[in-house]
Amino acid sequence: MSDNNTNEPSHFIRHIINADLENGKNESRVHTRFPPEPNGYLHIGHAKSICLNFGIANEYQGGLCNLRFDDTNPEKEDTEYTDAIQADVKWLGFDWEDRLFYASDYFEQLYEYAVTLIKDGKAYVDHLNAEQIREYRGTLTEPGKDSPYRDRSVEENLELFTKMRAGEFEEGECLLRAKIDMASPNINMRDPAIYRIRKVEHHRTGDTWSIYPMYDFTHCISDALEGITHSLCTLEFEDHRPLYDWFLDQLPVEHHPQQIEFARLNLNYTVTSKRKLNELVTKGYVEGWDDPRMPTIIGMRRRGFTPESIRDFCERIGITKSDTTIDVGVLENCVREDLDKTTRRVLGVLNPLKVVIENYPEDETEWLDAPYHPNDESMGSRQLPFSKVIYVEQDDFMEDPPKKFFRLGPGREVRLRYAYFITCQEVIKNEAGDVIELRCTYDPETKGGNAPDGRKVKGTIHWVSEAHALKTEVRLYDRLFNDPKPDSKQHEADWTSFLNPDSLERRDSALLEPSLKDAKAEERFQFERLGYFCVDSKDSEDNKPVFNRTVTLRDSWAKMNK
Ligand code: ATP
Ligand code: MG
């Protein structure tokens, strides 16, 4: 079923919004936000949230979506991350227009609201230490106990909170707590912290503050101040919703957004926790946040994923209330489908094997017409140089081939893509017995790949002319982890022990067709028979692009599992 005027399948959040619009709730506005914490780079899980929040805003007439940095943890946050996050959201194809906000913009207002709670007898300064607070909190089965500081007078609390702000207490000496219910069955309601002392610089407010508001307090108020109508978040916040509502019910805010939870995206063979991704970077398991093996937006971008394919993936997996793990093959299929339509086909050899065509003239070069796409003429064509010495893929030759091997073997004939039929006449080996060269003959009558006498060959292989080839580095990637759930709690071992040692393979003497010398950073191609490749944006040089394999042509893992 489909709502609105899109063809997308519907989900429960669209249903809620449709009902709200029908009932005229929120003056019939739809206003969402994407609220990242700037303590790392965005990953594929965030893409789901971005596509949902910005997608909803785009779908509804007049809908808006804010980008808001939830920057209340100064220790871990940095402008490197705020810049990267903005670039990622834009690259994914979304626009917050003039609505870029920071929770830190509201620090003064948040402070005022905390004072309001104190004045209303709904917040107090507590001097229990962290360990005592834990003890007093109780457990899931036992109620908590009131702190001995819980009944301080409003005046005393105001004075202490003013001192907290002035920096007169040390970190951990005291904190401001909401006064709710220490016996609540929901532990989040047992007098949660509102402000804690942190004597650290904030990347935006500098040393103005030595107290910082907690997430639960900040988030609902930020939503309310921005006039958010539907505050979409992941399921782990479900138990925090009563607190979200409690704060807004106590305070004189004009809007009371509705928090709606959905299941987070989990992808197998990788990790999607910023803390773990950060560890991979800082411990040197990968080359950085933008390592093409990382499930980060910037890593996937460098690997060659398109924004369209990521958006398509996020739509296909849907929005539900139950946690599931999506097979990374689904993501790979989305990118394959997109690249199949949009990339030019070119020839390149990753593991070159030399072929000398004995009956071809010594100094001749022929330029053969080759279309860039088999069924999209608008992509045009290029001229491929053909000459006496070419290279083919080592895998396309077997000295003692089985019957069903339709490629090169002694005495066997194959078609060279866009060129001629060749027949292998002689195999040349080095002293160690490795095949280092093939001597072949070509049939001049088969130019373009067909024999006038109607004789057929079953195999067509790719090739590159030696004299014209671009010699460069090509990188092949495999899954970052060997285990489908590297961070699962069932594993006793350290999650990093499941890293795949073969996740990166460099081919430093790949030979590619000469048209690729001009390929620009992030340009994408299909190397025929080998997969989709993208020009690396970091390590490429002028006339020497380095290529990253985005994905193979077919899902080799699915085949293996069969
Ligand atoms: P992480 O667990 O990776 O540290 P986070 O939730 O702490 O992620 P935030 O920067 O707070 O990271 O996330 C911004 C938004 O993205 C939040 O609304 C969060 O719910 C959402 N989000 C984060 N991870 C996922 C995920 N795996 N699937 C869907 N949404 C996610
Ligand atoms: Mg978070």
Side-chain angles (χ1 to χ4, degrees):
M1 198 193 109
S2 157
D3 298 297
N4 321 316
N5 31 20
T6 73
N7 298 318
E8 312 299 357
S10 197
H11 53 64
F12 74 99
I13 294 179
R14 288 189 180 122
H15 294 306
I16 292 174
I17 296 176
N18 290 341
D20 287 349
L21 288 174
E22 240 160 71
N23 300 326
K25 199 176 160 188
N26 306 307
E27 310 90 45
S28 297
R29 292 180 306 113
V30 176
H31 199 154
T32 56
R33 85 287 170 264
F34 172 63
E37 192 183 341
N39 60 351
Y41 284 69
L42 299 180
H43 53 63
I44 184 71
H46 295 112
K48 174 174 177 178
S49 178
I50 293 169
C51 290
L52 175 64
N53 280 292
F54 282 94
I56 289 275
N58 288 343
E59 268 171 46
Y60 289 91
Q61 178 81 31
L64 299 173
C65 180
N66 298 357
L67 175 61
R68 182 201 315 139
F69 289 109
D70 240 311
D71 54 348
T72 54
N73 276 310
E75 294 95 330
K76 294 186 220 147
E77 297 167 357
D78 198 274
T79 47
E80 174 193 352
Y81 302 129
T82 55
D83 292 347
I85 290 170
Q86 291 177 63
D88 286 348
V89 173
K90 283 201 174 138
W91 180 77
L92 275 175
F94 298 107
D95 187 1
W96 55 88
E97 297 168 329
D98 57 350
R99 293 177 311 280
L100 172 63
F101 300 108
Y102 293 83
S104 55
D105 293 338
Y106 310 133
F107 279 175
E108 196 60 52
Q109 175 72 71
L110 290 161
Y111 181 82
E112 290 305 320
Y113 280 147
V115 169
T116 304
L117 290 178
I118 295 174
K119 286 185 178 160
D120 291 345
K122 289 165 185 163
Y124 61 100
V125 174
D126 197 354
H127 271 84
L128 292 182
N129 63 33
E131 196 182 319
Q132 290 168 318
I133 286 182
R134 217 171 301 128
E135 242 176 70
Y136 276 69
R137 187 179 294 133
T139 63
L140 285 173
T141 51
E142 275 169 58
K145 293 189 295 196
D146 287 358
S147 161
Y149 303 99
R150 198 174 195 261
D151 292 319
R152 278 176 159 154
S153 68
V154 168
E155 288 69 34
E156 194 184 355
N157 278 317
L158 284 175
E159 191 189 318
L160 290 168
F161 191 47
T162 307
K163 285 186 175 168
M164 275 174 68
R165 177 176 185 165
E168 291 178 30
F169 295 112
E170 294 309 312
E171 287 193 10
E173 213 181 321
C174 55
L175 76 166
L176 184 73
R177 299 178 74 175
K179 197 180 204 176
I180 309 181
D181 178 8
M182 288 306 292
S184 170
N186 183 342
I187 290 189
N188 295 302
M189 300 298 274
R190 294 184 189 168
D191 293 8
I194 302 179
Y195 266 91
R196 72 235 189 285
I197 300 169
R198 280 277 180 285
K199 300 199 170 170
V200 281
E201 285 230 348
H202 185 281
H203 67 104
R204 295 191 79 239
T205 58
D207 57 7
T208 308
W209 294 90
S210 54
I211 56 173
Y212 290 96
M214 301 300 289
Y215 174 86
D216 282 325
F217 182 66
T218 309
H219 197 83
C220 56
I221 294 173
S222 307
D223 281 348
L225 293 173
E226 292 173 18
I228 300 303
T229 56
H230 301 86
S231 177
L232 314 179
C233 62
T234 35
L235 280 178
E236 67 270 25
F237 291 103
E238 197 163 19
D239 291 345
H240 296 238
R241 188 176 354 120
L243 183 55
Y244 184 104
D245 290 331
W246 187 88
F247 280 128
L248 295 185
D249 286 341
Q250 312 310 311
L251 292 166
V253 290
E254 279 177 36
H255 295 281
H256 189 140
Q258 181 185 0
Q259 175 178 307
I260 305 170
E261 308 84 16
F262 63 95
R264 57 193 295 124
L265 165 65
N266 303 302
L267 208 55
N268 62 9
Y269 295 101
T270 191
V271 291
T272 47
S273 127
K274 272 188 277 185
R275 187 180 60 73
K276 287 189 172 132
L277 294 173
N278 194 14
E279 201 174 320
L280 292 176
V281 173
T282 52
K283 293 197 174 157
Y285 291 116
V286 294
E287 284 157 27
W289 287 97
D290 63 351
D291 188 300
R293 293 166 292 180
M294 290 279 271
T296 50
I297 310 276
I298 196 172
M300 292 190 291
R301 174 177 178 174
R302 193 171 159 201
R303 171 101 167 235
F305 280 68
T306 57
E308 291 79 8
S309 61
I310 296 174
R311 293 200 305 264
D312 178 33
F313 170 72
C314 291
E315 190 61 48
R316 280 196 213 183
I317 57 176
I319 302 292
T320 65
K321 275 264 185 197
S322 52
D323 263 318
T324 48
T325 299
I326 307 286
D327 192 294
V328 64
V330 176
L331 176 62
E332 291 167 352
N333 271 332
C334 289
V335 72
R336 254 181 217 115
E337 264 185 41
D338 187 35
L339 294 177
D340 177 48
K341 285 180 277 183
T342 54
T343 55
R344 283 174 275 167
R345 272 60 170 161
V346 293
L347 301 187
V349 175
L350 301 185
N351 291 314
L353 173 60
K354 187 173 181 179
V355 172
V356 177
I357 302 170
E358 292 178 317
N359 58 339
Y360 196 85
E362 195 71 43
D363 295 315
E364 186 159 329
T365 300
E366 265 180 284
W367 293 86
L368 305 168
D369 198 43
Y372 272 126
H373 197 283
N375 36 35
D376 183 353
E377 277 181 26
S378 73
M379 287 201 197
S381 63
R382 81 290 193 194
Q383 303 284 301
L384 271 179
F386 185 78
S387 61
K388 187 177 180 78
V389 182
I390 62 169
Y391 281 85
V392 300
E393 209 70 66
Q394 282 172 22
D395 283 353
D396 282 334
F397 170 80
M398 276 182 90
E399 204 175 356
D400 192 11
K403 252 210 155 110
K404 290 227 160 130
F405 185 83
F406 299 124
R407 294 168 269 168
L408 275 174
R412 295 209 180 184
E413 187 172 46
V414 294
R415 177 189 293 109
L416 295 176
R417 181 76 159 145
Y418 305 121
Y420 294 99
F421 288 6
I422 59 168
T423 304
C424 177
Q425 306 294 354
E426 194 187 336
V427 179
I428 297 177
K429 296 183 183 177
N430 63 12
E431 280 174 11
D434 306 320
V435 176
I436 53 165
E437 186 180 315
L438 304 179
R439 296 264 156 177
C440 296
T441 50
Y442 86 118
D443 177 353
E445 299 293 311
T446 57
K447 186 167 178 173
N450 289 306
D453 63 4
R455 107 182 162 271
K456 298 275 180 247
V457 290
K458 279 208 169 139
T460 301
I461 65 175
H462 57 274
W463 55 275
V464 172
S465 162
E466 178 183 55
H468 308 87
L470 160 66
K471 186 172 175 193
T472 190
E473 181 178 327
V474 172
R475 296 153 183 180
L476 307 179
Y477 300 103
D478 199 351
R479 302 195 168 163
L480 189 50
F481 290 90
N482 277 326
D483 188 279
K485 286 194 167 189
D487 55 357
S488 137
K489 293 198 181 73
Q490 292 143 1
H491 286 316
E492 297 288 313
D494 171 21
W495 60 279
T496 58
S497 68
F498 302 104
L499 278 160
N500 175 4
D502 303 317
S503 58
L504 166 62
E505 211 184 308
R506 291 171 193 276
R507 301 287 165 83
D508 54 9
S509 46
L511 295 172
L512 312 179
E513 67 165 79
S515 73
L516 290 171
K517 282 177 193 162
D518 303 326
K520 299 282 174 293
E522 296 195 349
E523 243 187 299
R524 305 179 183 92
F525 299 89
Q526 185 197 98
F527 289 6
E528 292 202 25
R529 302 175 69 220
L530 298 173
Y532 296 99
F533 292 75
C534 174
V535 178
D536 190 84
S537 48
K538 244 187 180 166
D539 303 328
S540 295
E541 290 165 30
D542 279 350
N543 296 316
K544 199 177 180 221
V546 167
F547 287 85
N548 299 328
R549 180 153 70 188
T550 312
V551 66
T552 53
L553 292 182
R554 271 171 291 279
D555 184 354
S556 48
W557 279 70
K559 231 192 287 169
M560 253 169 55
N561 290 339
K562 272 183 203 163

